[in-house]
Amino acid sequence: MGSDRHYTEEAPAHKETVEGFWMDKYTVTNEQFARFVEATGHVTLAERPANADDYPGAKPELLRASSSVFQKSSHRVDLRNHYNWWTYVAGASWRHPEGPGSSIAKRWQHPVVHIAYEDAEAYVAWAGKEIPTEAEWEFAARGGLDGAAYAWGEEFTPGGKQMANTWQGDFPVQNLRSDGYEGTAPVGQFPANGYGLFDMIGNVWEWTMDWYATHHAASKTCCGGASRKGGDREQSYDPQSPDIRIPRKVIKGGSFLCAPNYCKRYRPAARMAQPIDTSTSHVGLRLIIRANPVG
Ligand SMILES: [Ca+2]
């Protein structure tokens, strides 16, 4: 697990043990999520106005029901500032991925997006499954290739073939769509990995249940089985913004926005910290069933 050859947050490469589990071949689709909403009446976090008490000092427009939507830029921008391509869009949600006026009518088999962590938890409770840990997710993504850079081997595009829905071209300005997709793709359009799992890499990031910590820190916390370590909720806050105390989970797999010039996170070892209250147009989920459920 992890890698010493790529971004610093992936180091060190280390041994990890997971117990037996089954994983869904695909990420949760809009069709599946719609069935859940119909059965339960669940209203996602993005569809509800935020509680002002939870966000002291926030501008009123940011408290409206909204979600983060990627917007392509018309010109080259400073890649250090992600607000150059992320915008809070009022009315954006899983039903309206780009905001009011957009719909999922022709995207039933696309992965559901704009799912905050509590929405993922509600969905898995209904589905009778569980959210993977980072170790379980990464073990599955490797598809039996121990230590390989990609889920399919050492070459990103073997024989020139695109193996996942990522971004080709100059992010966030020019999307060449060599893989056929500007945004999300329907699930299962690219080859499965060695374990028969589709889209582990690219398309959408996937939530894991681990609180974000560096691999160094996580290995020191102890609780439960080896596969269920992860970090600590209170330690998962963003050290860059000490005033914003929103815990963060690990997300895995990269998305259709991962590009060679910006974010080469289309690999099993890649990881990012995602605040649990933040839904976006490129984060979804995939479920597992454990031989020994966490409960
Ligand atoms: Ca693409």
Side-chain angles (χ1 to χ4, degrees):
M1 181 174 179
S3 170
D4 297 319
R5 295 187 281 157
H6 300 95
Y7 295 120
T8 53
E9 71 271 15
E10 299 169 31
H14 58 286
K15 278 203 173 26
E16 192 62 81
T17 305
V18 295
E19 293 175 25
F21 63 94
W22 292 266
M23 181 175 256
D24 284 345
K25 282 161 85 166
Y26 307 115
T27 46
V28 175
T29 62
N30 285 320
E31 183 182 44
Q32 291 172 311
F33 200 79
R35 227 178 289 146
F36 152 68
V37 167
E38 197 177 335
T40 61
H42 181 81
V43 179
T44 61
L45 190 67
E47 295 170 285
R48 309 193 309 262
N51 182 352
D53 295 342
D54 294 340
Y55 301 92
K59 296 177 194 157
E61 62 266 28
L62 294 179
L63 297 173
R64 286 183 298 178
S66 61
S67 195
S68 290
V69 176
F70 169 76
Q71 289 179 340
K72 205 164 142 181
S73 179
S74 58
H75 54 279
R76 287 225 167 143
V77 294
D78 182 352
L79 290 175
R80 288 166 301 183
N81 181 2
H82 64 253
Y83 291 109
N84 281 324
W85 53 87
W86 286 113
T87 309
Y88 284 111
V89 175
S93 71
W94 73 276
R95 298 171 196 275
H96 306 288
E98 289 81 41
S102 67
S103 95
I104 54 171
K106 293 186 176 144
R107 288 187 250 180
W108 291 107
Q109 299 313 316
H110 285 231
V112 66
V113 289
H114 295 295
I115 297 303
Y117 194 74
E118 64 172 51
D119 304 317
E121 285 184 305
Y123 183 87
V124 299
W126 174 77
K129 298 183 183 179
E130 296 185 277
I131 298 172
T133 61
E134 180 181 10
E136 286 165 336
W137 191 98
E138 187 168 328
F139 177 85
R142 291 183 177 281
L145 297 176
D146 196 13
Y150 302 103
W152 48 83
E154 287 297 341
E155 234 185 303
F156 182 51
T157 51
K161 186 173 169 56
Q162 298 286 341
M163 300 294 284
N165 182 14
T166 62
W167 178 296
Q168 303 82 48
D170 190 5
F171 180 90
V173 183
Q174 174 200 46
N175 188 337
L176 296 173
R177 282 178 291 170
S178 320
D179 58 23
Y181 299 94
E182 173 98 21
T184 57
V187 299
Q189 301 301 301
F190 295 85
N193 77 358
Y195 292 151
L197 302 166
F198 293 85
D199 311 311
M200 291 301 286
I201 299 304
N203 218 17
V204 291
W205 285 94
E206 301 176 26
W207 286 108
T208 74
M209 63 180 283
D210 288 18
W211 298 111
Y212 188 82
T214 65
H215 278 328
H216 296 278
S219 63
K220 287 189 201 120
T221 17
C222 132
C223 0
S227 64
R228 288 161 199 169
K229 273 188 290 202
D232 180 72
R233 179 187 169 101
E234 300 304 315
Q235 302 293 321
S236 71
Y237 304 125
D238 187 353
Q240 310 288 326
S241 336
D243 299 339
I244 304 172
R245 296 179 62 80
I246 299 168
R248 301 181 301 167
K249 292 278 187 181
V250 176
I251 55 173
K252 296 287 278 183
S255 80
F256 64 91
L257 297 176
C258 287
N261 70 313
Y262 175 60
C263 174
K264 298 181 195 169
R265 292 196 169 84
Y266 27 62
R267 293 170 292 100
R271 55 205 306 263
M272 282 216 319
Q274 180 79 357
I276 57 171
D277 68 343
T278 303
S279 58
T280 81
S281 54
H282 77 153
V283 178
L285 78 155
R286 178 190 312 252
L287 312 185
I288 63 168
I289 293 178
R290 294 189 175 92
N292 299 307
V294 171

